[in-house]
């Protein structure tokens, strides 16, 4: 579904990604783990077209998306949930959700998806007229995921959905990610610092260090890899 081939991405003269390659097949949950500053967010932003790579290629369903406008990439079904949620605090829950669907023309489909996300997160239904900024951190993350679902993703890219949330809320969010993957057949690319939880959820994982992919393997094998256990799982 997604082929990332040797991308190098720069901030000015600084090369943040060095020939990064990864593959995601339809139906998978893939996680990208690594320390602070390893280049995880930059990888995700490169895929979304927000910080395009200077070299290498990114193919989605066989079509190169490098140089394509971010809204066109969203229309193709590649949708991100940004780090720090970035919901609109002065708009209601419902308005935030409607904004997620702004590129869609299938009004009936949008209504169905609105019902689906309200079922998925009943708390959002309860708070539909409340301003986004009044929600708790966990609820804002639910809203950010739901807003992305309103864009009808084929591949959902999540940037550190667990950031700053309590363990119980993280568990709830990760269970919902699994449900979205299974019920909606949405493929998931999960960027996480919480390596332990992410590898328990994912089918396969990539480990990033200093802008390079260091390991890639099944999630089970990464969970049992001594180097990964020591460096990322604190074991
Ligand atoms: P985090 O978990 O903190 O988000 P990360 O693994 O996602 O870390 P990136 O945010 O992708 O890492 O950062 C990769 C490198 O690029 C780091 O050295 C960072 O300092 C640098 N970097 C990130 N954003 C910018 C920017 N806007 N301008 C300049 N350098 C940047």
């Amino acid at each position: 579904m997604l082929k990332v081939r040797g991308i190098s991405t720069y901030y000015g003269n600084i090369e943040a990604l060095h020939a990064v390659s990864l593959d995601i097949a339809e139906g998978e949950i893939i996680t990208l783990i690594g320390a602070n500053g390893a280049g995880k967010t930059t990888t995700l932003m490169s895929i979304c077209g927000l910080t395009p790579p200077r070299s290498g290629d990114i193919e989605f369903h066989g079509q190169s998306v490098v140089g394509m406008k971010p809204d066109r990439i969203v229309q193709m079904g590649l949708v991100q949930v940004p780090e720090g949620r970035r919901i609109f605090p002065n708009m209601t829950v419902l308005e935030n959700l409607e904004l997620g669907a702004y590129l869609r023309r299938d009004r009936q489909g949008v209504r169905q998806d609105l019902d689906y996300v309200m079922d998925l997160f009943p708390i959002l239904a309860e708070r539909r007229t409340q301003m986004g900024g009044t929600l708790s951190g966990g609820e804002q993350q639910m809203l950010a995921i739901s807003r992305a679902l309103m864009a009808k993703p084929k591949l959902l890219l999540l940037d550190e959905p667990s950031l700053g949330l309590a363990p119980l809320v993280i568990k709830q969010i990760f269970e919902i990610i699994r449900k979205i993957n299974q019920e909606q057949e949405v493929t998931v690319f999960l960027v996480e610092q919480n390596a332990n939880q992410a590898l328990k959820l994912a089918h396969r994982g990539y480990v990033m260090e200093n802008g390079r992919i260091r390991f890639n393997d099944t999630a089970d094998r990464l969970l049992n890899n001594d180097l990964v256990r020591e460096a990322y799982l604190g074991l």
Side-chain angles (χ1 to χ4, degrees):
M1 182 182 230
L2 186 83
K3 285 185 186 166
V4 175
R5 288 280 167 272
I7 59 165
S8 296
T9 301
Y10 290 72
Y11 294 107
N13 290 326
I14 299 161
E15 189 175 350
L17 299 184
H18 311 278
V20 167
S21 294
L22 52 90
D23 287 287
I24 303 177
E26 204 156 346
E28 284 190 304
I29 301 179
I30 298 298
T31 187
L32 177 64
I33 58 174
N36 225 321
K40 304 181 300 297
T41 297
T42 306
T43 303
L44 194 143
M45 304 275 268
S46 300
I47 295 170
C48 298
L50 294 167
T51 53
R54 209 176 275 180
S55 57
D57 197 15
I58 301 167
E59 274 185 14
F60 184 55
H61 285 305
Q63 190 177 351
S64 178
V65 296
V66 174
M68 220 180 244
K69 283 196 180 148
D71 58 349
R72 176 78 196 102
I73 295 177
V74 169
Q75 271 178 321
M76 288 176 76
L78 235 162
V79 184
Q80 69 146 335
V81 181
E83 187 174 1
R85 349 234 212 250
R86 307 248 191 100
I87 55 133
F88 297 98
N90 298 321
M91 294 174 82
T92 66
V93 166
L94 196 58
E95 286 165 346
N96 268 278
L97 291 172
E98 283 165 353
L99 258 183
Y102 87 104
L103 290 168
R104 291 174 64 182
R105 297 285 165 266
D106 57 324
R107 277 207 259 154
Q108 195 174 342
V110 170
R111 256 198 310 274
Q112 277 169 0
D113 288 341
L114 199 54
D115 288 344
Y116 176 74
V117 298
M118 297 278 190
D119 268 0
L120 205 57
F121 298 112
I123 192 80
L124 296 183
E126 268 175 47
R127 312 221 153 160
R128 68 172 74 206
T129 57
Q130 222 168 293
M131 292 298 160
T134 66
L135 303 181
S136 71
E139 290 161 1
Q140 289 190 16
Q141 187 57 259
M142 293 172 194
L143 180 56
I145 293 172
S146 299
R147 184 182 57 189
L149 289 177
M150 292 303 296
K152 210 149 190 61
K154 294 192 178 85
L155 175 57
L156 186 65
L157 307 136
L158 296 134
D159 197 354
E160 299 217 28
S162 76
L163 196 70
L165 302 182
L168 210 61
V169 182
I170 297 175
K171 195 163 170 265
Q172 213 184 340
I173 300 265
F174 277 32
E175 272 164 17
I176 292 285
I177 295 171
R178 192 195 305 274
K179 198 167 168 189
I180 294 166
N181 171 252
Q182 287 174 352
E183 284 182 1
Q184 297 288 297
E185 293 170 6
V186 173
T187 306
V188 174
F189 184 55
L190 173 67
V191 163
E192 261 299 338
Q193 267 194 61
N194 190 334
N196 192 32
Q197 301 265 14
L199 287 171
K200 283 183 180 149
L201 176 72
H203 302 113
R204 291 190 299 117
Y206 289 82
V207 181
M208 188 160 226
E209 278 176 12
N210 301 320
R212 290 187 169 84
I213 300 292
R214 175 93 194 275
F215 307 104
N216 96 72
D217 211 334
T218 62
D220 280 350
R221 279 203 289 263
L222 288 174
L223 276 169
N224 290 304
N225 176 315
D226 286 342
L227 290 171
V228 173
R229 285 166 71 85
E230 198 178 315
Y232 300 103
L233 305 176
L235 300 168

